[in-house]
Amino acid sequence: MPHILQLDASARPGQAGTDAHGSVSRRLTQRFVRAWLAHQPDTSVTHRDLGATPPSFIDQNWIASAFASPGQQQPWMHDVLAESDRLVDELIDADILVIGAPLYNFGMPAALKAWVDQIVRMGRTVEYDETHPEAPFTPLLSDRPRHAVILSSRGGAGFEPGEALAHLNHLEPSLTTVLEFIGITRIHRIAVEHQEEGGDVLAASIKHAEEQIEAQVAQLQDSLNEEGNMARLA
């Protein structure tokens, strides 16, 4: 059975429609996981609430530790990188990464960016070889098929590719760049818009997103079953 890593980055602790001032993106991630488990109840899920417990920001000690050569490693460096190692291990174990993220000021929440900075690690999720200057980076998470589902929420509308405000959306494009850089290239995205406007247009956007989630779950389960069958035949 596949393993899901669910990340919630919203600063709002509750779910829209259930809790006062609840998070739309949390509602979407919960909808995804519930839909998945309804069809595959044996699937394991790791939930990390980045909004409630943000990862540490990287600092000079982190940089020195992460980029130290084997001969330069000091005992204290293992402690500095312990949090990063836990986050990387969670990501490596996942077959499906589900990211719930609101669009904050045209980009990702700081808590999610802190997670990104912790999991992009030389020797863990990406490798660098200076002897190949034309393509020095090798993604290390391309060793098996992994999928990422980005479930976002936006105050306004028109942020999809090709729409009027697409150039102001630095959430999904930035996450896609990072995930592809480390080897996760099967990326799916679903968004809710019109949060500021509310009312019927927001309700319709949520309903459409939840329908897309149901369809995405079915498609991914079929895809993973097919990939598993191909692996057994190889």
Side-chain angles (χ1 to χ4, degrees):
M1 283 294 173
H3 178 66
I4 294 175
L5 173 59
Q6 175 189 349
L7 303 178
D8 283 304
S10 175
R12 300 175 184 267
Q15 294 180 43
T18 302
D19 305 290
H21 309 292
S23 163
V24 171
S25 63
R26 289 178 185 272
R27 173 173 173 166
L28 298 182
T29 58
Q30 285 298 104
R31 181 64 175 254
F32 183 97
V33 172
R34 284 199 306 270
W36 190 283
L37 294 177
H39 298 284
Q40 294 188 4
D42 293 335
T43 300
S44 57
V45 180
T46 296
H47 180 211
R48 180 166 289 277
D49 194 334
L50 303 176
T53 309
S56 304
F57 294 146
I58 64 172
D59 56 15
Q60 170 58 25
N61 286 339
W62 191 98
I63 294 170
S65 303
F67 289 93
S69 64
Q72 297 173 324
Q73 287 286 342
Q74 302 295 322
W76 61 267
M77 292 181 173
H78 297 287
D79 295 333
V80 170
L81 295 176
E83 179 183 17
S84 174
D85 285 331
R86 287 194 300 271
L87 298 177
V88 170
D89 288 343
E90 287 179 352
L91 181 58
I92 290 174
D93 288 344
D95 301 290
I96 304 163
L97 173 63
V98 180
I99 304 175
L103 181 68
Y104 284 171
N105 299 315
F106 313 110
M108 70 180 73
L112 182 53
K113 182 57 167 67
W115 178 84
V116 165
D117 290 340
Q118 290 282 357
I119 59 92
V120 178
R121 281 270 306 278
M122 293 298 163
R124 295 296 319 270
T125 56
V126 67
E127 196 58 88
Y128 177 79
D129 185 352
E130 62 182 10
T131 65
H132 295 84
E134 71 287 350
F137 296 104
T138 300
L140 298 181
L141 269 62
S142 58
D143 58 315
R144 73 172 193 269
R146 290 182 175 87
H147 294 261
V149 182
I150 304 172
L151 303 174
S152 62
S153 56
R154 307 164 189 157
F159 292 94
E160 286 296 300
E163 295 183 347
L165 300 181
H167 64 290
L168 298 178
N169 181 2
H170 303 290
L171 173 59
E172 289 97 338
S174 180
L175 281 174
T176 297
T177 297
V178 169
L179 294 172
E180 290 180 342
F181 183 66
I182 62 177
I184 302 176
T185 58
R186 297 165 175 83
I187 301 173
H188 320 274
R189 45 189 286 182
I190 297 170
V192 167
E193 298 190 316
H194 300 288
Q195 276 191 266
E196 291 179 359
E197 187 174 354
D200 291 343
V201 290
L202 173 59
S205 185
I206 291 175
K207 182 176 184 294
H208 180 58
E210 291 180 337
E211 291 171 348
Q212 288 180 292
I213 286 172
E214 297 288 338
Q216 185 69 76
V217 166
Q219 187 274 325
L220 279 177
Q221 290 182 339
D222 288 344
S223 177
L224 288 176
N225 287 336
E226 182 179 345
E227 289 168 356
N229 290 334
M230 293 178 63
R232 284 189 289 272
L233 293 173

mmCIF file of all heavy atoms in Angstrom, residues 32 35-36 39-40 96 147-149 186-190 211-227:
data_model
loop_
_atom_site.group_PDB
_atom_site.id
_atom_site.type_symbol
_atom_site.label_atom_id
_atom_site.label_comp_id
_atom_site.label_asym_id
_atom_site.label_seq_id
_atom_site.Cartn_x
_atom_site.Cartn_y
_atom_site.Cartn_z
ATOM 1 N N PHE A 32 -9.045 15.104 0.683
ATOM 2 C CA PHE A 32 -8.222 14.194 -0.111
ATOM 3 C C PHE A 32 -7.929 12.917 0.676
ATOM 4 O O PHE A 32 -8.107 11.803 0.166
ATOM 5 C CB PHE A 32 -6.915 14.877 -0.522
ATOM 6 C CG PHE A 32 -6.049 14.030 -1.410
ATOM 7 C CD1 PHE A 32 -6.077 14.194 -2.782
ATOM 8 C CD2 PHE A 32 -5.211 13.055 -0.883
ATOM 9 C CE1 PHE A 32 -5.289 13.401 -3.615
ATOM 10 C CE2 PHE A 32 -4.421 12.262 -1.694
ATOM 11 C CZ PHE A 32 -4.462 12.432 -3.069
ATOM 12 N N ALA A 35 -11.028 10.750 1.213
ATOM 13 C CA ALA A 35 -11.424 10.081 -0.024
ATOM 14 C C ALA A 35 -10.486 8.921 -0.327
ATOM 15 O O ALA A 35 -10.921 7.847 -0.786
ATOM 16 C CB ALA A 35 -11.434 11.088 -1.183
ATOM 17 N N TRP A 36 -9.208 9.119 -0.080
ATOM 18 C CA TRP A 36 -8.239 8.046 -0.346
ATOM 19 C C TRP A 36 -8.500 6.850 0.557
ATOM 20 O O TRP A 36 -8.566 5.702 0.108
ATOM 21 C CB TRP A 36 -6.822 8.559 -0.138
ATOM 22 C CG TRP A 36 -5.804 7.574 -0.625
ATOM 23 C CD1 TRP A 36 -5.405 6.432 -0.011
ATOM 24 C CD2 TRP A 36 -5.114 7.623 -1.876
ATOM 25 N NE1 TRP A 36 -4.486 5.763 -0.780
ATOM 26 C CE2 TRP A 36 -4.291 6.475 -1.927
ATOM 27 C CE3 TRP A 36 -5.088 8.527 -2.925
ATOM 28 C CZ2 TRP A 36 -3.457 6.206 -3.003
ATOM 29 C CZ3 TRP A 36 -4.260 8.266 -4.006
ATOM 30 C CH2 TRP A 36 -3.460 7.117 -4.049
ATOM 31 N N HIS A 39 -11.313 4.302 -0.068
ATOM 32 C CA HIS A 39 -11.092 3.254 -1.073
ATOM 33 C C HIS A 39 -9.919 2.346 -0.719
ATOM 34 O O HIS A 39 -9.900 1.178 -1.093
ATOM 35 C CB HIS A 39 -10.863 3.888 -2.447
ATOM 36 C CG HIS A 39 -12.036 4.675 -2.952
ATOM 37 N ND1 HIS A 39 -13.165 4.081 -3.457
ATOM 38 C CD2 HIS A 39 -12.252 6.014 -3.013
ATOM 39 C CE1 HIS A 39 -14.030 5.009 -3.824
ATOM 40 N NE2 HIS A 39 -13.510 6.190 -3.562
ATOM 41 N N GLN A 40 -8.939 2.897 0.003
ATOM 42 C CA GLN A 40 -7.769 2.110 0.400
ATOM 43 C C GLN A 40 -7.490 2.353 1.888
ATOM 44 O O GLN A 40 -6.566 3.096 2.250
ATOM 45 C CB GLN A 40 -6.550 2.464 -0.456
ATOM 46 C CG GLN A 40 -6.693 2.076 -1.922
ATOM 47 C CD GLN A 40 -5.409 2.263 -2.711
ATOM 48 O OE1 GLN A 40 -4.365 2.622 -2.170
ATOM 49 N NE2 GLN A 40 -5.488 2.012 -4.007
ATOM 50 N N ILE A 96 2.959 9.614 -1.947
ATOM 51 C CA ILE A 96 2.108 10.731 -2.326
ATOM 52 C C ILE A 96 2.298 11.850 -1.314
ATOM 53 O O ILE A 96 2.097 11.648 -0.108
ATOM 54 C CB ILE A 96 0.621 10.335 -2.371
ATOM 55 C CG1 ILE A 96 0.420 9.153 -3.316
ATOM 56 C CG2 ILE A 96 -0.251 11.511 -2.802
ATOM 57 C CD1 ILE A 96 -0.886 8.447 -3.115
ATOM 58 N N HIS A 147 4.248 11.096 -6.294
ATOM 59 C CA HIS A 147 3.309 12.110 -6.749
ATOM 60 C C HIS A 147 3.191 13.202 -5.695
ATOM 61 O O HIS A 147 3.277 12.930 -4.494
ATOM 62 C CB HIS A 147 1.920 11.501 -6.992
ATOM 63 C CG HIS A 147 1.875 10.519 -8.119
ATOM 64 N ND1 HIS A 147 1.432 10.853 -9.383
ATOM 65 C CD2 HIS A 147 2.228 9.200 -8.179
ATOM 66 C CE1 HIS A 147 1.496 9.791 -10.167
ATOM 67 N NE2 HIS A 147 1.980 8.770 -9.463
ATOM 68 N N ALA A 148 2.984 14.428 -6.146
ATOM 69 C CA ALA A 148 2.705 15.546 -5.253
ATOM 70 C C ALA A 148 1.383 16.173 -5.678
ATOM 71 O O ALA A 148 1.157 16.416 -6.868
ATOM 72 C CB ALA A 148 3.819 16.584 -5.301
ATOM 73 N N VAL A 149 0.519 16.420 -4.701
ATOM 74 C CA VAL A 149 -0.768 17.058 -4.950
ATOM 75 C C VAL A 149 -0.773 18.372 -4.179
ATOM 76 O O VAL A 149 -0.715 18.367 -2.941
ATOM 77 C CB VAL A 149 -1.936 16.169 -4.496
ATOM 78 C CG1 VAL A 149 -3.272 16.844 -4.820
ATOM 79 C CG2 VAL A 149 -1.855 14.799 -5.158
ATOM 80 N N ARG A 186 5.760 14.165 -10.871
ATOM 81 C CA ARG A 186 4.331 13.916 -11.098
ATOM 82 C C ARG A 186 3.546 14.831 -10.164
ATOM 83 O O ARG A 186 3.265 14.481 -9.012
ATOM 84 C CB ARG A 186 4.012 12.437 -10.849
ATOM 85 C CG ARG A 186 4.725 11.487 -11.808
ATOM 86 C CD ARG A 186 4.674 10.057 -11.285
ATOM 87 N NE ARG A 186 5.240 9.103 -12.220
ATOM 88 C CZ ARG A 186 6.538 8.845 -12.332
ATOM 89 N NH1 ARG A 186 7.413 9.468 -11.555
ATOM 90 N NH2 ARG A 186 6.979 7.949 -13.221
ATOM 91 N N ILE A 187 3.213 16.007 -10.644
ATOM 92 C CA ILE A 187 2.642 17.056 -9.808
ATOM 93 C C ILE A 187 1.236 17.400 -10.281
ATOM 94 O O ILE A 187 1.001 17.599 -11.473
ATOM 95 C CB ILE A 187 3.548 18.309 -9.818
ATOM 96 C CG1 ILE A 187 4.944 17.938 -9.291
ATOM 97 C CG2 ILE A 187 2.932 19.423 -8.976
ATOM 98 C CD1 ILE A 187 5.963 19.035 -9.417
ATOM 99 N N HIS A 188 0.315 17.468 -9.334
ATOM 100 C CA HIS A 188 -1.085 17.759 -9.612
ATOM 101 C C HIS A 188 -1.511 18.944 -8.746
ATOM 102 O O HIS A 188 -1.088 19.052 -7.590
ATOM 103 C CB HIS A 188 -1.944 16.532 -9.308
ATOM 104 C CG HIS A 188 -1.301 15.236 -9.735
ATOM 105 N ND1 HIS A 188 -1.419 14.737 -11.019
ATOM 106 C CD2 HIS A 188 -0.506 14.364 -9.061
ATOM 107 C CE1 HIS A 188 -0.732 13.599 -11.108
ATOM 108 N NE2 HIS A 188 -0.171 13.353 -9.927
ATOM 109 N N ARG A 189 -2.368 19.802 -9.259
ATOM 110 C CA ARG A 189 -2.733 21.002 -8.517
ATOM 111 C C ARG A 189 -4.227 21.280 -8.620
ATOM 112 O O ARG A 189 -4.822 21.173 -9.692
ATOM 113 C CB ARG A 189 -1.929 22.212 -9.005
ATOM 114 C CG ARG A 189 -1.828 22.344 -10.505
ATOM 115 C CD ARG A 189 -0.855 23.415 -10.919
ATOM 116 N NE ARG A 189 -1.371 24.760 -10.700
ATOM 117 C CZ ARG A 189 -0.708 25.866 -11.015
ATOM 118 N NH1 ARG A 189 0.501 25.777 -11.541
ATOM 119 N NH2 ARG A 189 -1.230 27.050 -10.790
ATOM 120 N N ILE A 190 -4.807 21.628 -7.490
ATOM 121 C CA ILE A 190 -6.216 21.974 -7.399
ATOM 122 C C ILE A 190 -6.320 23.187 -6.473
ATOM 123 O O ILE A 190 -5.661 23.223 -5.420
ATOM 124 C CB ILE A 190 -7.049 20.806 -6.831
ATOM 125 C CG1 ILE A 190 -6.974 19.596 -7.766
ATOM 126 C CG2 ILE A 190 -8.508 21.224 -6.605
ATOM 127 C CD1 ILE A 190 -7.577 18.314 -7.167
ATOM 128 N N GLU A 211 -14.830 18.167 -6.000
ATOM 129 C CA GLU A 211 -15.105 17.214 -7.081
ATOM 130 C C GLU A 211 -13.814 16.829 -7.798
ATOM 131 O O GLU A 211 -13.612 15.650 -8.148
ATOM 132 C CB GLU A 211 -16.097 17.827 -8.067
ATOM 133 C CG GLU A 211 -17.508 17.992 -7.503
ATOM 134 C CD GLU A 211 -18.414 18.798 -8.413
ATOM 135 O OE1 GLU A 211 -17.889 19.427 -9.373
ATOM 136 O OE2 GLU A 211 -19.633 18.811 -8.172
ATOM 137 N N GLN A 212 -12.933 17.818 -7.996
ATOM 138 C CA GLN A 212 -11.645 17.525 -8.619
ATOM 139 C C GLN A 212 -10.804 16.591 -7.740
ATOM 140 O O GLN A 212 -10.089 15.719 -8.246
ATOM 141 C CB GLN A 212 -10.877 18.822 -8.871
ATOM 142 C CG GLN A 212 -11.432 19.682 -9.988
ATOM 143 C CD GLN A 212 -10.602 20.941 -10.170
ATOM 144 O OE1 GLN A 212 -10.580 21.827 -9.305
ATOM 145 N NE2 GLN A 212 -9.897 21.018 -11.284
ATOM 146 N N ILE A 213 -10.884 16.787 -6.435
ATOM 147 C CA ILE A 213 -10.131 15.932 -5.515
ATOM 148 C C ILE A 213 -10.604 14.489 -5.612
ATOM 149 O O ILE A 213 -9.785 13.557 -5.676
ATOM 150 C CB ILE A 213 -10.265 16.465 -4.072
ATOM 151 C CG1 ILE A 213 -9.419 17.728 -3.905
ATOM 152 C CG2 ILE A 213 -9.831 15.398 -3.058
ATOM 153 C CD1 ILE A 213 -9.621 18.436 -2.588
ATOM 154 N N GLU A 214 -11.914 14.291 -5.642
ATOM 155 C CA GLU A 214 -12.448 12.929 -5.767
ATOM 156 C C GLU A 214 -11.943 12.264 -7.054
ATOM 157 O O GLU A 214 -11.539 11.097 -7.050
ATOM 158 C CB GLU A 214 -13.978 12.960 -5.756
ATOM 159 C CG GLU A 214 -14.595 13.473 -4.467
ATOM 160 C CD GLU A 214 -14.474 12.493 -3.320
ATOM 161 O OE1 GLU A 214 -14.297 11.288 -3.585
ATOM 162 O OE2 GLU A 214 -14.568 12.933 -2.159
ATOM 163 N N ALA A 215 -11.958 13.028 -8.142
ATOM 164 C CA ALA A 215 -11.485 12.492 -9.416
ATOM 165 C C ALA A 215 -9.979 12.236 -9.374
ATOM 166 O O ALA A 215 -9.488 11.239 -9.923
ATOM 167 C CB ALA A 215 -11.832 13.453 -10.555
ATOM 168 N N GLN A 216 -9.236 13.144 -8.707
ATOM 169 C CA GLN A 216 -7.782 12.985 -8.623
ATOM 170 C C GLN A 216 -7.413 11.751 -7.815
ATOM 171 O O GLN A 216 -6.488 11.010 -8.170
ATOM 172 C CB GLN A 216 -7.166 14.228 -7.992
ATOM 173 C CG GLN A 216 -5.640 14.235 -7.968
ATOM 174 C CD GLN A 216 -5.054 14.382 -9.342
ATOM 175 O OE1 GLN A 216 -5.058 15.466 -9.899
ATOM 176 N NE2 GLN A 216 -4.554 13.299 -9.914
ATOM 177 N N VAL A 217 -8.126 11.517 -6.726
ATOM 178 C CA VAL A 217 -7.875 10.328 -5.914
ATOM 179 C C VAL A 217 -8.081 9.062 -6.745
ATOM 180 O O VAL A 217 -7.241 8.154 -6.741
ATOM 181 C CB VAL A 217 -8.782 10.320 -4.671
ATOM 182 C CG1 VAL A 217 -8.786 8.941 -4.009
ATOM 183 C CG2 VAL A 217 -8.316 11.374 -3.670
ATOM 184 N N ALA A 218 -9.177 9.003 -7.473
ATOM 185 C CA ALA A 218 -9.458 7.821 -8.299
ATOM 186 C C ALA A 218 -8.377 7.624 -9.356
ATOM 187 O O ALA A 218 -7.898 6.501 -9.588
ATOM 188 C CB ALA A 218 -10.828 7.960 -8.958
ATOM 189 N N GLN A 219 -7.956 8.725 -9.980
ATOM 190 C CA GLN A 219 -6.941 8.644 -11.027
ATOM 191 C C GLN A 219 -5.599 8.194 -10.450
ATOM 192 O O GLN A 219 -4.911 7.340 -11.040
ATOM 193 C CB GLN A 219 -6.795 10.004 -11.718
ATOM 194 C CG GLN A 219 -5.884 10.011 -12.939
ATOM 195 C CD GLN A 219 -4.422 10.215 -12.584
ATOM 196 O OE1 GLN A 219 -4.103 10.946 -11.659
ATOM 197 N NE2 GLN A 219 -3.536 9.579 -13.335
ATOM 198 N N LEU A 220 -5.227 8.733 -9.295
ATOM 199 C CA LEU A 220 -3.948 8.369 -8.692
ATOM 200 C C LEU A 220 -3.948 6.918 -8.214
ATOM 201 O O LEU A 220 -2.938 6.217 -8.352
ATOM 202 C CB LEU A 220 -3.638 9.300 -7.527
ATOM 203 C CG LEU A 220 -3.051 10.666 -7.873
ATOM 204 C CD1 LEU A 220 -2.871 11.512 -6.623
ATOM 205 C CD2 LEU A 220 -1.717 10.504 -8.586
ATOM 206 N N GLN A 221 -5.042 6.481 -7.658
ATOM 207 C CA GLN A 221 -5.090 5.089 -7.208
ATOM 208 C C GLN A 221 -4.970 4.125 -8.387
ATOM 209 O O GLN A 221 -4.271 3.116 -8.301
ATOM 210 C CB GLN A 221 -6.371 4.847 -6.412
ATOM 211 C CG GLN A 221 -6.354 5.544 -5.058
ATOM 212 C CD GLN A 221 -7.581 5.285 -4.222
ATOM 213 O OE1 GLN A 221 -8.633 4.911 -4.737
ATOM 214 N NE2 GLN A 221 -7.465 5.483 -2.915
ATOM 215 N N ASP A 222 -5.626 4.460 -9.485
ATOM 216 C CA ASP A 222 -5.488 3.635 -10.685
ATOM 217 C C ASP A 222 -4.043 3.666 -11.189
ATOM 218 O O ASP A 222 -3.484 2.629 -11.581
ATOM 219 C CB ASP A 222 -6.429 4.124 -11.783
ATOM 220 C CG ASP A 222 -7.882 3.806 -11.491
ATOM 221 O OD1 ASP A 222 -8.139 2.953 -10.618
ATOM 222 O OD2 ASP A 222 -8.762 4.417 -12.127
ATOM 223 N N SER A 223 -3.448 4.866 -11.190
ATOM 224 C CA SER A 223 -2.082 5.021 -11.687
ATOM 225 C C SER A 223 -1.092 4.239 -10.832
ATOM 226 O O SER A 223 -0.213 3.551 -11.364
ATOM 227 C CB SER A 223 -1.703 6.505 -11.713
ATOM 228 O OG SER A 223 -0.362 6.682 -12.118
ATOM 229 N N LEU A 224 -1.231 4.334 -9.504
ATOM 230 C CA LEU A 224 -0.304 3.618 -8.626
ATOM 231 C C LEU A 224 -0.485 2.109 -8.730
ATOM 232 O O LEU A 224 0.491 1.353 -8.650
ATOM 233 C CB LEU A 224 -0.501 4.082 -7.189
ATOM 234 C CG LEU A 224 -0.003 5.492 -6.870
ATOM 235 C CD1 LEU A 224 -0.334 5.870 -5.444
ATOM 236 C CD2 LEU A 224 1.497 5.607 -7.109
ATOM 237 N N ASN A 225 -1.713 1.667 -8.908
ATOM 238 C CA ASN A 225 -1.944 0.233 -9.102
ATOM 239 C C ASN A 225 -1.270 -0.250 -10.385
ATOM 240 O O ASN A 225 -0.657 -1.321 -10.418
ATOM 241 C CB ASN A 225 -3.439 -0.054 -9.161
ATOM 242 C CG ASN A 225 -4.105 0.060 -7.802
ATOM 243 O OD1 ASN A 225 -3.447 -0.076 -6.769
ATOM 244 N ND2 ASN A 225 -5.406 0.320 -7.789
ATOM 245 N N GLU A 226 -1.384 0.563 -11.446
ATOM 246 C CA GLU A 226 -0.753 0.204 -12.716
ATOM 247 C C GLU A 226 0.764 0.200 -12.589
ATOM 248 O O GLU A 226 1.445 -0.707 -13.094
ATOM 249 C CB GLU A 226 -1.190 1.184 -13.798
ATOM 250 C CG GLU A 226 -0.630 0.861 -15.176
ATOM 251 C CD GLU A 226 -1.109 1.834 -16.239
ATOM 252 O OE1 GLU A 226 -2.077 2.575 -15.977
ATOM 253 O OE2 GLU A 226 -0.501 1.857 -17.324
ATOM 254 N N GLU A 227 1.321 1.214 -11.903
ATOM 255 C CA GLU A 227 2.766 1.273 -11.708
ATOM 256 C C GLU A 227 3.246 0.079 -10.887
ATOM 257 O O GLU A 227 4.312 -0.489 -11.156
ATOM 258 C CB GLU A 227 3.146 2.587 -11.020
ATOM 259 C CG GLU A 227 2.981 3.817 -11.923
ATOM 260 C CD GLU A 227 3.068 5.116 -11.159
ATOM 261 O OE1 GLU A 227 3.186 5.077 -9.911
ATOM 262 O OE2 GLU A 227 3.002 6.180 -11.795
#
